[in-house]
Amino acid sequence: MLKHQAANSRRNALRSYLGAYGFMAPAGILVIVFFLIPVAIVLYLSVTNLASSNFTSDLAKMEFIGLKNYDTLFNDQFARKIFSNTIFYVLVTLSIFNVSLALIVSLLTTHIDRNAGFIFRAMWILPRITSPVVYILIWKRMIAEAPFGIINQFNELLGQPTYNYISTNPWVFVVVVNGFIGVSFGMIIFTSAIESIPKDLLNASLVDGSSRLQRIRFVILPLIRWPLLFVVTYQTLSLLTSFVEIQLLTDGGPGLYRTEVWSLTAYHRALSNYFGNAQWGYGSAFAVLLVLIGVVLAVIYMRVFRFDELIAEPRVEAL
Amino acid sequence: MEIRIDNLTKKFGEVVGVEDLTLHIDDGEFVAFLGPSGCGKTTTLLTLAGIYKPTEGLIRFGERIVNQVQPKDRNIGMVFQSYALYPHMTVFQNIAYPLKLKKTPKNLQNESVRQVAGVMGIGDLLDRRPGQLSGGQQQRVALGRALVKEPDVLLFDEPLSNLDARLRLTMRGEIKHLQKNLGITSIYVTHDQVEAMTMADRIAVMSGGRLQAFDTPEELYDRPKTQFVAGFVGNPPMNFIDVNVSQSDGAYTAKTGSIRMTVPAARGAPAAEHAGAVVMGLRPEDIAIASEGEVAGEIFVVEPLGREDLIDVRVGEHSFILLANTESRHRAGERVALQFDMSQVQFFDPQSERSLLWRQ
Ligand SMILES: Nc1ncnc2c1ncn2[C@@H]1O[C@H](COP(=O)(O)OP(=O)(O)O)[C@@H](O)[C@H]1O
Ligand SMILES: [Mg+2]
């Protein structure tokens, strides 16, 4: 009898154990197939010298060269430049556009007439839903040299000198072009967070004596703290890995690596027939470091922002 | 602070929140806004608080017209049904928030918060977050936050609706006591007529965005000016039946079908003057079950309320709700006679729904 019960409870425990894994399985499989396996392959490639000259698709035939690629990378005179480019690009775009402007747009559009706010937000989404090629073509046409560039046509009209913007201010445009896309992500998250603050709470703040600005500072911002931290985390990582717009706009130029970022280098080295020779092994070393940086940053963010605090403490049961 | 509302209308586009409301509230008075859900009580309150701007009309606090005054410059304390405590602040910070906005020095803030928290009996909870408190505790914090800045006006929007019945009873007494002690002009919104009756000096009964009546609880109960007020004030509600009132030899009789009831002359005369049928109103406590009486009927259902039984007696197609002593142990299906105390009977015009006894 007892034995039977024990077996029963063990079976139940096992069942709930398997149940938990069953529910995690779909997400787990996605992570394995689309993250862990690719990372493993790239990691393997980064310790070979696979290139177009010795191409083989047979993993066993690839030539193992240890950490030589990493050695080359750390001694690459341009790696340092590209690294600081990346930090600059991520920090500036993130802080000005993906977070600050996103916050400003969502605060403004939730404090005006609902429909007007909706239209403004819809406009900010346009850069994101436009195909990157079309979007970059629009910008290129805007900032092209005279007599083709639209801005320069206005300069001429106003009797101003014309500029070759891409060569005088490449960073301004790299940041602005990416920033305009980046705003909408934070904007959507912040707006829905602001709109889900109970109306009573917002009214209470006004009755308690706050101005609208004080209400933003003391009530709204603290209440959207988690969405804010989430956007910072998520957008840092996505800026780190994004390069399509830069590739289309400047392709890392003008000149040598002026606006080249880490992920673009990985792409250039590994895939874009660089000087007629794709260096998959070497490019993979860049990619591996990017993954490493991303994972480390994610862990740091989780620790610093204490995402575990999201779980509420229990209530006190009393009058 | 005296509050005078004149011809106040608030519309949201086409939707009417409140229409043509005129109401003068005395200094230190406790006024209840009573009405069914959606009748414009919250709208009126938020307009008084300055959250909504009036579409039309005037609001005066004392001599000052406040139509365009920002909420922060009205010195109002407000308690919400949802408590509306700031979840990211401790109880202390919640209560201190109005003082912080007023730039009150830190030591005075500390003193005031502790004093108010003491009065509200939450002195030992100051370090907690609202999420860690029970509903009753949260409501006390909300009340403390409204009181701490010594407001000229206190606004309550159904503050007790989310509490359990026993707590509601306790808090009801406490709020009334506090209001009388502090003498702060207060408006208390509720859809619960017992709350309104027990707490308020005067009750503004609202329906469909309009003011139906504004009077003391006793007046509303004894001399309701409209059928709506008569039906809304009092629990269980007044019984209404359509009757014809006629006079013969100085005696007035209300008739419908087989039912015949003698009406005192003072109340029968105005009803008899009205041509055609009138609506007669009788409160449950004015009807009694007797061994023999004017009207015979059958008990349809008995609802025990503990102290009393709520009994629905059917007479023909008419239904009478009444209260009876539990000891009489009535059962559904029993045949009984009804006795009516007609000294408190009410009569209404079926078209205008206005009282035939108490004209405005
Ligand atoms: N912000 C608003 N926008 C549009 N309609 C509203 C708004 N607030 C209230 N109303 C409408 O005004 C009427 C009165 O609402 P309310 O004052 O909340 O009623 P109560 O508090 O008496 O239940 C309702 O018909 C409601 O739908
Ligand atoms: Mg309401």
PDB file of all heavy atoms in Angstrom, chain B residues 230 236-241 243 259 261 267 279-287 319-322 339-348:
ATOM      1  N   ALA B 230     -37.734  58.197  -4.920  1.00  0.00           N
ATOM      2  CA  ALA B 230     -38.463  57.299  -4.023  1.00  0.00           C
ATOM      3  C   ALA B 230     -37.976  55.867  -4.191  1.00  0.00           C
ATOM      4  O   ALA B 230     -37.804  55.136  -3.219  1.00  0.00           O
ATOM      5  CB  ALA B 230     -39.957  57.379  -4.314  1.00  0.00           C
ATOM      6  N   PRO B 236     -35.045  47.581   1.533  1.00  0.00           N
ATOM      7  CA  PRO B 236     -35.352  47.323   0.123  1.00  0.00           C
ATOM      8  C   PRO B 236     -36.185  48.460  -0.471  1.00  0.00           C
ATOM      9  O   PRO B 236     -36.779  49.232   0.271  1.00  0.00           O
ATOM     10  CB  PRO B 236     -36.151  46.023   0.169  1.00  0.00           C
ATOM     11  CG  PRO B 236     -36.554  45.838   1.577  1.00  0.00           C
ATOM     12  CD  PRO B 236     -35.660  46.630   2.443  1.00  0.00           C
ATOM     13  N   PRO B 237     -36.210  48.557  -1.793  1.00  0.00           N
ATOM     14  CA  PRO B 237     -36.837  49.730  -2.412  1.00  0.00           C
ATOM     15  C   PRO B 237     -38.356  49.754  -2.236  1.00  0.00           C
ATOM     16  O   PRO B 237     -38.987  48.761  -1.932  1.00  0.00           O
ATOM     17  CB  PRO B 237     -36.464  49.585  -3.893  1.00  0.00           C
ATOM     18  CG  PRO B 237     -36.118  48.161  -4.080  1.00  0.00           C
ATOM     19  CD  PRO B 237     -35.613  47.659  -2.781  1.00  0.00           C
ATOM     20  N   MET B 238     -38.875  50.962  -2.448  1.00  0.00           N
ATOM     21  CA  MET B 238     -40.315  51.188  -2.343  1.00  0.00           C
ATOM     22  C   MET B 238     -41.072  50.328  -3.359  1.00  0.00           C
ATOM     23  O   MET B 238     -40.595  50.073  -4.453  1.00  0.00           O
ATOM     24  CB  MET B 238     -40.567  52.681  -2.613  1.00  0.00           C
ATOM     25  CG  MET B 238     -41.978  53.151  -2.358  1.00  0.00           C
ATOM     26  SD  MET B 238     -42.104  54.923  -2.711  1.00  0.00           S
ATOM     27  CE  MET B 238     -41.684  55.642  -1.131  1.00  0.00           C
ATOM     28  N   ASN B 239     -42.272  49.866  -2.974  1.00  0.00           N
ATOM     29  CA  ASN B 239     -43.157  49.154  -3.908  1.00  0.00           C
ATOM     30  C   ASN B 239     -43.973  50.163  -4.698  1.00  0.00           C
ATOM     31  O   ASN B 239     -44.494  51.131  -4.126  1.00  0.00           O
ATOM     32  CB  ASN B 239     -44.135  48.276  -3.126  1.00  0.00           C
ATOM     33  CG  ASN B 239     -43.422  47.185  -2.369  1.00  0.00           C
ATOM     34  OD1 ASN B 239     -42.925  46.241  -2.958  1.00  0.00           O
ATOM     35  ND2 ASN B 239     -43.365  47.331  -1.045  1.00  0.00           N
ATOM     36  N   PHE B 240     -44.073  49.958  -5.994  1.00  0.00           N
ATOM     37  CA  PHE B 240     -44.907  50.844  -6.807  1.00  0.00           C
ATOM     38  C   PHE B 240     -46.023  50.029  -7.457  1.00  0.00           C
ATOM     39  O   PHE B 240     -45.746  48.956  -8.023  1.00  0.00           O
ATOM     40  CB  PHE B 240     -44.087  51.494  -7.918  1.00  0.00           C
ATOM     41  CG  PHE B 240     -43.052  52.454  -7.401  1.00  0.00           C
ATOM     42  CD1 PHE B 240     -41.701  52.173  -7.537  1.00  0.00           C
ATOM     43  CD2 PHE B 240     -43.435  53.636  -6.789  1.00  0.00           C
ATOM     44  CE1 PHE B 240     -40.747  53.052  -7.067  1.00  0.00           C
ATOM     45  CE2 PHE B 240     -42.471  54.527  -6.310  1.00  0.00           C
ATOM     46  CZ  PHE B 240     -41.135  54.237  -6.452  1.00  0.00           C
ATOM     47  N   ILE B 241     -47.264  50.528  -7.387  1.00  0.00           N
ATOM     48  CA  ILE B 241     -48.324  49.934  -8.207  1.00  0.00           C
ATOM     49  C   ILE B 241     -49.204  51.045  -8.769  1.00  0.00           C
ATOM     50  O   ILE B 241     -49.343  52.124  -8.182  1.00  0.00           O
ATOM     51  CB  ILE B 241     -49.211  48.925  -7.426  1.00  0.00           C
ATOM     52  CG1 ILE B 241     -49.790  49.565  -6.160  1.00  0.00           C
ATOM     53  CG2 ILE B 241     -48.450  47.670  -7.058  1.00  0.00           C
ATOM     54  CD1 ILE B 241     -50.793  48.631  -5.482  1.00  0.00           C
ATOM     55  N   VAL B 243     -52.610  52.690  -9.499  1.00  0.00           N
ATOM     56  CA  VAL B 243     -53.954  52.642  -8.887  1.00  0.00           C
ATOM     57  C   VAL B 243     -54.790  53.817  -9.394  1.00  0.00           C
ATOM     58  O   VAL B 243     -54.264  54.763  -9.997  1.00  0.00           O
ATOM     59  CB  VAL B 243     -53.879  52.740  -7.345  1.00  0.00           C
ATOM     60  CG1 VAL B 243     -53.144  51.555  -6.758  1.00  0.00           C
ATOM     61  CG2 VAL B 243     -53.227  54.049  -6.914  1.00  0.00           C
ATOM     62  N   ILE B 259     -57.894  44.942  -5.409  1.00  0.00           N
ATOM     63  CA  ILE B 259     -57.310  45.592  -4.239  1.00  0.00           C
ATOM     64  C   ILE B 259     -58.007  46.919  -3.963  1.00  0.00           C
ATOM     65  O   ILE B 259     -58.198  47.737  -4.865  1.00  0.00           O
ATOM     66  CB  ILE B 259     -55.798  45.835  -4.442  1.00  0.00           C
ATOM     67  CG1 ILE B 259     -55.101  44.529  -4.798  1.00  0.00           C
ATOM     68  CG2 ILE B 259     -55.181  46.486  -3.211  1.00  0.00           C
ATOM     69  CD1 ILE B 259     -53.633  44.683  -5.099  1.00  0.00           C
ATOM     70  N   MET B 261     -57.783  50.116  -0.998  1.00  0.00           N
ATOM     71  CA  MET B 261     -57.096  50.591   0.193  1.00  0.00           C
ATOM     72  C   MET B 261     -57.600  51.971   0.545  1.00  0.00           C
ATOM     73  O   MET B 261     -57.765  52.818  -0.331  1.00  0.00           O
ATOM     74  CB  MET B 261     -55.589  50.639  -0.049  1.00  0.00           C
ATOM     75  CG  MET B 261     -54.982  49.258  -0.182  1.00  0.00           C
ATOM     76  SD  MET B 261     -53.260  49.366  -0.641  1.00  0.00           S
ATOM     77  CE  MET B 261     -53.376  49.042  -2.373  1.00  0.00           C
ATOM     78  N   ARG B 267     -53.298  62.830   1.970  1.00  0.00           N
ATOM     79  CA  ARG B 267     -52.534  62.281   0.854  1.00  0.00           C
ATOM     80  C   ARG B 267     -53.448  61.864  -0.291  1.00  0.00           C
ATOM     81  O   ARG B 267     -53.032  61.836  -1.451  1.00  0.00           O
ATOM     82  CB  ARG B 267     -51.722  61.079   1.333  1.00  0.00           C
ATOM     83  CG  ARG B 267     -50.745  61.515   2.424  1.00  0.00           C
ATOM     84  CD  ARG B 267     -49.537  60.646   2.559  1.00  0.00           C
ATOM     85  NE  ARG B 267     -48.646  61.260   3.537  1.00  0.00           N
ATOM     86  CZ  ARG B 267     -47.347  61.019   3.619  1.00  0.00           C
ATOM     87  NH1 ARG B 267     -46.783  60.168   2.794  1.00  0.00           N
ATOM     88  NH2 ARG B 267     -46.610  61.641   4.517  1.00  0.00           N
ATOM     89  N   VAL B 279     -49.328  56.482  -9.837  1.00  0.00           N
ATOM     90  CA  VAL B 279     -48.436  55.463  -9.281  1.00  0.00           C
ATOM     91  C   VAL B 279     -48.432  55.618  -7.771  1.00  0.00           C
ATOM     92  O   VAL B 279     -48.147  56.702  -7.259  1.00  0.00           O
ATOM     93  CB  VAL B 279     -47.011  55.613  -9.834  1.00  0.00           C
ATOM     94  CG1 VAL B 279     -46.083  54.584  -9.184  1.00  0.00           C
ATOM     95  CG2 VAL B 279     -47.011  55.460 -11.338  1.00  0.00           C
ATOM     96  N   MET B 280     -48.770  54.514  -7.069  1.00  0.00           N
ATOM     97  CA  MET B 280     -48.760  54.566  -5.620  1.00  0.00           C
ATOM     98  C   MET B 280     -47.469  53.922  -5.113  1.00  0.00           C
ATOM     99  O   MET B 280     -47.044  52.893  -5.624  1.00  0.00           O
ATOM    100  CB  MET B 280     -49.965  53.812  -5.070  1.00  0.00           C
ATOM    101  CG  MET B 280     -50.054  53.850  -3.554  1.00  0.00           C
ATOM    102  SD  MET B 280     -51.527  52.993  -2.948  1.00  0.00           S
ATOM    103  CE  MET B 280     -50.983  51.307  -3.068  1.00  0.00           C
ATOM    104  N   GLY B 281     -46.840  54.560  -4.130  1.00  0.00           N
ATOM    105  CA  GLY B 281     -45.609  54.009  -3.573  1.00  0.00           C
ATOM    106  C   GLY B 281     -45.766  53.678  -2.098  1.00  0.00           C
ATOM    107  O   GLY B 281     -46.298  54.481  -1.331  1.00  0.00           O
ATOM    108  N   LEU B 282     -45.364  52.466  -1.723  1.00  0.00           N
ATOM    109  CA  LEU B 282     -45.445  52.038  -0.322  1.00  0.00           C
ATOM    110  C   LEU B 282     -44.122  51.416   0.074  1.00  0.00           C
ATOM    111  O   LEU B 282     -43.610  50.528  -0.620  1.00  0.00           O
ATOM    112  CB  LEU B 282     -46.545  50.989  -0.167  1.00  0.00           C
ATOM    113  CG  LEU B 282     -47.953  51.471   0.165  1.00  0.00           C
ATOM    114  CD1 LEU B 282     -48.919  50.307   0.096  1.00  0.00           C
ATOM    115  CD2 LEU B 282     -48.007  52.134   1.540  1.00  0.00           C
ATOM    116  N   ARG B 283     -43.570  51.864   1.193  1.00  0.00           N
ATOM    117  CA  ARG B 283     -42.296  51.282   1.636  1.00  0.00           C
ATOM    118  C   ARG B 283     -42.545  49.919   2.273  1.00  0.00           C
ATOM    119  O   ARG B 283     -43.589  49.696   2.890  1.00  0.00           O
ATOM    120  CB  ARG B 283     -41.622  52.209   2.635  1.00  0.00           C
ATOM    121  CG  ARG B 283     -41.181  53.515   2.004  1.00  0.00           C
ATOM    122  CD  ARG B 283     -39.914  54.036   2.609  1.00  0.00           C
ATOM    123  NE  ARG B 283     -39.521  55.274   1.947  1.00  0.00           N
ATOM    124  CZ  ARG B 283     -38.700  55.329   0.903  1.00  0.00           C
ATOM    125  NH1 ARG B 283     -38.200  54.218   0.396  1.00  0.00           N
ATOM    126  NH2 ARG B 283     -38.386  56.500   0.361  1.00  0.00           N
ATOM    127  N   PRO B 284     -41.566  48.999   2.157  1.00  0.00           N
ATOM    128  CA  PRO B 284     -41.719  47.647   2.712  1.00  0.00           C
ATOM    129  C   PRO B 284     -42.097  47.653   4.181  1.00  0.00           C
ATOM    130  O   PRO B 284     -42.887  46.817   4.620  1.00  0.00           O
ATOM    131  CB  PRO B 284     -40.333  47.031   2.495  1.00  0.00           C
ATOM    132  CG  PRO B 284     -39.774  47.768   1.341  1.00  0.00           C
ATOM    133  CD  PRO B 284     -40.321  49.162   1.430  1.00  0.00           C
ATOM    134  N   GLU B 285     -41.557  48.637   4.938  1.00  0.00           N
ATOM    135  CA  GLU B 285     -41.847  48.614   6.375  1.00  0.00           C
ATOM    136  C   GLU B 285     -43.277  49.059   6.686  1.00  0.00           C
ATOM    137  O   GLU B 285     -43.723  48.944   7.826  1.00  0.00           O
ATOM    138  CB  GLU B 285     -40.843  49.479   7.145  1.00  0.00           C
ATOM    139  CG  GLU B 285     -40.855  50.946   6.772  1.00  0.00           C
ATOM    140  CD  GLU B 285     -39.812  51.266   5.715  1.00  0.00           C
ATOM    141  OE1 GLU B 285     -39.552  50.387   4.864  1.00  0.00           O
ATOM    142  OE2 GLU B 285     -39.274  52.388   5.749  1.00  0.00           O
ATOM    143  N   ASP B 286     -43.981  49.587   5.681  1.00  0.00           N
ATOM    144  CA  ASP B 286     -45.361  50.014   5.908  1.00  0.00           C
ATOM    145  C   ASP B 286     -46.356  48.929   5.511  1.00  0.00           C
ATOM    146  O   ASP B 286     -47.563  49.155   5.471  1.00  0.00           O
ATOM    147  CB  ASP B 286     -45.651  51.310   5.132  1.00  0.00           C
ATOM    148  CG  ASP B 286     -44.806  52.458   5.665  1.00  0.00           C
ATOM    149  OD1 ASP B 286     -44.500  52.442   6.876  1.00  0.00           O
ATOM    150  OD2 ASP B 286     -44.423  53.339   4.871  1.00  0.00           O
ATOM    151  N   ILE B 287     -45.847  47.758   5.170  1.00  0.00           N
ATOM    152  CA  ILE B 287     -46.718  46.644   4.825  1.00  0.00           C
ATOM    153  C   ILE B 287     -46.454  45.533   5.836  1.00  0.00           C
ATOM    154  O   ILE B 287     -45.296  45.249   6.162  1.00  0.00           O
ATOM    155  CB  ILE B 287     -46.431  46.117   3.404  1.00  0.00           C
ATOM    156  CG1 ILE B 287     -46.444  47.281   2.401  1.00  0.00           C
ATOM    157  CG2 ILE B 287     -47.448  45.045   3.015  1.00  0.00           C
ATOM    158  CD1 ILE B 287     -46.097  46.868   0.994  1.00  0.00           C
ATOM    159  N   SER B 319     -46.968  42.627  -7.108  1.00  0.00           N
ATOM    160  CA  SER B 319     -46.004  42.045  -6.183  1.00  0.00           C
ATOM    161  C   SER B 319     -45.679  43.074  -5.107  1.00  0.00           C
ATOM    162  O   SER B 319     -45.450  44.248  -5.407  1.00  0.00           O
ATOM    163  CB  SER B 319     -44.757  41.666  -6.984  1.00  0.00           C
ATOM    164  OG  SER B 319     -43.629  41.679  -6.155  1.00  0.00           O
ATOM    165  N   PHE B 320     -45.697  42.652  -3.850  1.00  0.00           N
ATOM    166  CA  PHE B 320     -45.347  43.543  -2.743  1.00  0.00           C
ATOM    167  C   PHE B 320     -44.137  42.967  -2.017  1.00  0.00           C
ATOM    168  O   PHE B 320     -44.151  41.809  -1.608  1.00  0.00           O
ATOM    169  CB  PHE B 320     -46.509  43.673  -1.754  1.00  0.00           C
ATOM    170  CG  PHE B 320     -47.683  44.423  -2.293  1.00  0.00           C
ATOM    171  CD1 PHE B 320     -48.742  43.746  -2.877  1.00  0.00           C
ATOM    172  CD2 PHE B 320     -47.725  45.809  -2.234  1.00  0.00           C
ATOM    173  CE1 PHE B 320     -49.833  44.442  -3.397  1.00  0.00           C
ATOM    174  CE2 PHE B 320     -48.813  46.506  -2.749  1.00  0.00           C
ATOM    175  CZ  PHE B 320     -49.865  45.821  -3.340  1.00  0.00           C
ATOM    176  N   ILE B 321     -43.106  43.801  -1.859  1.00  0.00           N
ATOM    177  CA  ILE B 321     -41.943  43.399  -1.072  1.00  0.00           C
ATOM    178  C   ILE B 321     -42.133  43.936   0.338  1.00  0.00           C
ATOM    179  O   ILE B 321     -42.461  45.123   0.507  1.00  0.00           O
ATOM    180  CB  ILE B 321     -40.647  44.001  -1.658  1.00  0.00           C
ATOM    181  CG1 ILE B 321     -40.472  43.648  -3.124  1.00  0.00           C
ATOM    182  CG2 ILE B 321     -39.434  43.579  -0.837  1.00  0.00           C
ATOM    183  CD1 ILE B 321     -40.060  42.232  -3.389  1.00  0.00           C
ATOM    184  N   LEU B 322     -41.929  43.094   1.329  1.00  0.00           N
ATOM    185  CA  LEU B 322     -42.061  43.582   2.699  1.00  0.00           C
ATOM    186  C   LEU B 322     -41.071  42.865   3.605  1.00  0.00           C
ATOM    187  O   LEU B 322     -40.454  41.870   3.218  1.00  0.00           O
ATOM    188  CB  LEU B 322     -43.490  43.382   3.199  1.00  0.00           C
ATOM    189  CG  LEU B 322     -44.025  41.946   3.187  1.00  0.00           C
ATOM    190  CD1 LEU B 322     -43.849  41.314   4.544  1.00  0.00           C
ATOM    191  CD2 LEU B 322     -45.489  41.952   2.791  1.00  0.00           C
ATOM    192  N   GLN B 339     -51.658  43.983   5.529  1.00  0.00           N
ATOM    193  CA  GLN B 339     -52.172  45.215   6.113  1.00  0.00           C
ATOM    194  C   GLN B 339     -51.254  46.358   5.717  1.00  0.00           C
ATOM    195  O   GLN B 339     -50.038  46.208   5.744  1.00  0.00           O
ATOM    196  CB  GLN B 339     -52.200  45.092   7.632  1.00  0.00           C
ATOM    197  CG  GLN B 339     -53.587  44.843   8.144  1.00  0.00           C
ATOM    198  CD  GLN B 339     -53.607  44.690   9.637  1.00  0.00           C
ATOM    199  OE1 GLN B 339     -52.581  44.789  10.303  1.00  0.00           O
ATOM    200  NE2 GLN B 339     -54.805  44.465  10.163  1.00  0.00           N
ATOM    201  N   PHE B 340     -51.856  47.483   5.336  1.00  0.00           N
ATOM    202  CA  PHE B 340     -51.052  48.607   4.859  1.00  0.00           C
ATOM    203  C   PHE B 340     -51.161  49.766   5.822  1.00  0.00           C
ATOM    204  O   PHE B 340     -52.257  50.122   6.251  1.00  0.00           O
ATOM    205  CB  PHE B 340     -51.533  49.038   3.478  1.00  0.00           C
ATOM    206  CG  PHE B 340     -51.433  47.949   2.454  1.00  0.00           C
ATOM    207  CD1 PHE B 340     -52.537  47.142   2.176  1.00  0.00           C
ATOM    208  CD2 PHE B 340     -50.247  47.709   1.787  1.00  0.00           C
ATOM    209  CE1 PHE B 340     -52.450  46.132   1.237  1.00  0.00           C
ATOM    210  CE2 PHE B 340     -50.161  46.700   0.851  1.00  0.00           C
ATOM    211  CZ  PHE B 340     -51.267  45.903   0.572  1.00  0.00           C
ATOM    212  N   ASP B 341     -50.008  50.352   6.171  1.00  0.00           N
ATOM    213  CA  ASP B 341     -50.016  51.605   6.907  1.00  0.00           C
ATOM    214  C   ASP B 341     -50.002  52.719   5.877  1.00  0.00           C
ATOM    215  O   ASP B 341     -48.964  53.029   5.296  1.00  0.00           O
ATOM    216  CB  ASP B 341     -48.783  51.677   7.814  1.00  0.00           C
ATOM    217  CG  ASP B 341     -48.676  53.031   8.499  1.00  0.00           C
ATOM    218  OD1 ASP B 341     -49.566  53.881   8.280  1.00  0.00           O
ATOM    219  OD2 ASP B 341     -47.694  53.229   9.229  1.00  0.00           O
ATOM    220  N   MET B 342     -51.170  53.319   5.619  1.00  0.00           N
ATOM    221  CA  MET B 342     -51.288  54.258   4.501  1.00  0.00           C
ATOM    222  C   MET B 342     -50.880  55.675   4.887  1.00  0.00           C
ATOM    223  O   MET B 342     -50.970  56.582   4.074  1.00  0.00           O
ATOM    224  CB  MET B 342     -52.733  54.257   3.981  1.00  0.00           C
ATOM    225  CG  MET B 342     -53.178  52.893   3.454  1.00  0.00           C
ATOM    226  SD  MET B 342     -52.142  52.288   2.109  1.00  0.00           S
ATOM    227  CE  MET B 342     -52.874  53.160   0.741  1.00  0.00           C
ATOM    228  N   SER B 343     -50.414  55.875   6.146  1.00  0.00           N
ATOM    229  CA  SER B 343     -50.069  57.243   6.546  1.00  0.00           C
ATOM    230  C   SER B 343     -48.819  57.738   5.826  1.00  0.00           C
ATOM    231  O   SER B 343     -48.580  58.926   5.724  1.00  0.00           O
ATOM    232  CB  SER B 343     -49.859  57.303   8.056  1.00  0.00           C
ATOM    233  OG  SER B 343     -48.736  56.516   8.388  1.00  0.00           O
ATOM    234  N   GLN B 344     -47.998  56.800   5.304  1.00  0.00           N
ATOM    235  CA  GLN B 344     -46.759  57.203   4.631  1.00  0.00           C
ATOM    236  C   GLN B 344     -46.823  56.979   3.118  1.00  0.00           C
ATOM    237  O   GLN B 344     -45.802  56.978   2.444  1.00  0.00           O
ATOM    238  CB  GLN B 344     -45.578  56.412   5.198  1.00  0.00           C
ATOM    239  CG  GLN B 344     -45.306  56.665   6.668  1.00  0.00           C
ATOM    240  CD  GLN B 344     -44.982  58.117   6.937  1.00  0.00           C
ATOM    241  OE1 GLN B 344     -44.272  58.770   6.173  1.00  0.00           O
ATOM    242  NE2 GLN B 344     -45.552  58.665   8.016  1.00  0.00           N
ATOM    243  N   VAL B 345     -48.016  56.740   2.588  1.00  0.00           N
ATOM    244  CA  VAL B 345     -48.129  56.403   1.162  1.00  0.00           C
ATOM    245  C   VAL B 345     -47.700  57.575   0.275  1.00  0.00           C
ATOM    246  O   VAL B 345     -47.839  58.739   0.660  1.00  0.00           O
ATOM    247  CB  VAL B 345     -49.586  55.963   0.849  1.00  0.00           C
ATOM    248  CG1 VAL B 345     -50.527  57.141   0.935  1.00  0.00           C
ATOM    249  CG2 VAL B 345     -49.662  55.267  -0.505  1.00  0.00           C
ATOM    250  N   GLN B 346     -47.128  57.273  -0.878  1.00  0.00           N
ATOM    251  CA  GLN B 346     -46.689  58.301  -1.836  1.00  0.00           C
ATOM    252  C   GLN B 346     -47.471  58.140  -3.136  1.00  0.00           C
ATOM    253  O   GLN B 346     -47.860  57.021  -3.492  1.00  0.00           O
ATOM    254  CB  GLN B 346     -45.191  58.143  -2.143  1.00  0.00           C
ATOM    255  CG  GLN B 346     -44.290  58.104  -0.937  1.00  0.00           C
ATOM    256  CD  GLN B 346     -44.132  59.456  -0.274  1.00  0.00           C
ATOM    257  OE1 GLN B 346     -44.351  60.504  -0.889  1.00  0.00           O
ATOM    258  NE2 GLN B 346     -43.766  59.438   1.003  1.00  0.00           N
ATOM    259  N   PHE B 347     -47.691  59.263  -3.831  1.00  0.00           N
ATOM    260  CA  PHE B 347     -48.349  59.193  -5.144  1.00  0.00           C
ATOM    261  C   PHE B 347     -47.546  59.968  -6.177  1.00  0.00           C
ATOM    262  O   PHE B 347     -47.033  61.051  -5.898  1.00  0.00           O
ATOM    263  CB  PHE B 347     -49.777  59.752  -5.069  1.00  0.00           C
ATOM    264  CG  PHE B 347     -50.700  58.882  -4.282  1.00  0.00           C
ATOM    265  CD1 PHE B 347     -51.104  59.259  -3.009  1.00  0.00           C
ATOM    266  CD2 PHE B 347     -51.166  57.675  -4.809  1.00  0.00           C
ATOM    267  CE1 PHE B 347     -51.950  58.455  -2.264  1.00  0.00           C
ATOM    268  CE2 PHE B 347     -52.016  56.866  -4.069  1.00  0.00           C
ATOM    269  CZ  PHE B 347     -52.415  57.248  -2.801  1.00  0.00           C
ATOM    270  N   PHE B 348     -47.432  59.395  -7.389  1.00  0.00           N
ATOM    271  CA  PHE B 348     -46.661  60.039  -8.455  1.00  0.00           C
ATOM    272  C   PHE B 348     -47.471  60.095  -9.733  1.00  0.00           C
ATOM    273  O   PHE B 348     -48.278  59.207 -10.018  1.00  0.00           O
ATOM    274  CB  PHE B 348     -45.368  59.260  -8.710  1.00  0.00           C
ATOM    275  CG  PHE B 348     -44.505  59.143  -7.490  1.00  0.00           C
ATOM    276  CD1 PHE B 348     -44.587  58.023  -6.670  1.00  0.00           C
ATOM    277  CD2 PHE B 348     -43.637  60.162  -7.151  1.00  0.00           C
ATOM    278  CE1 PHE B 348     -43.815  57.924  -5.536  1.00  0.00           C
ATOM    279  CE2 PHE B 348     -42.853  60.066  -6.009  1.00  0.00           C
ATOM    280  CZ  PHE B 348     -42.935  58.947  -5.199  1.00  0.00           C
TER     281      PHE B 348
END
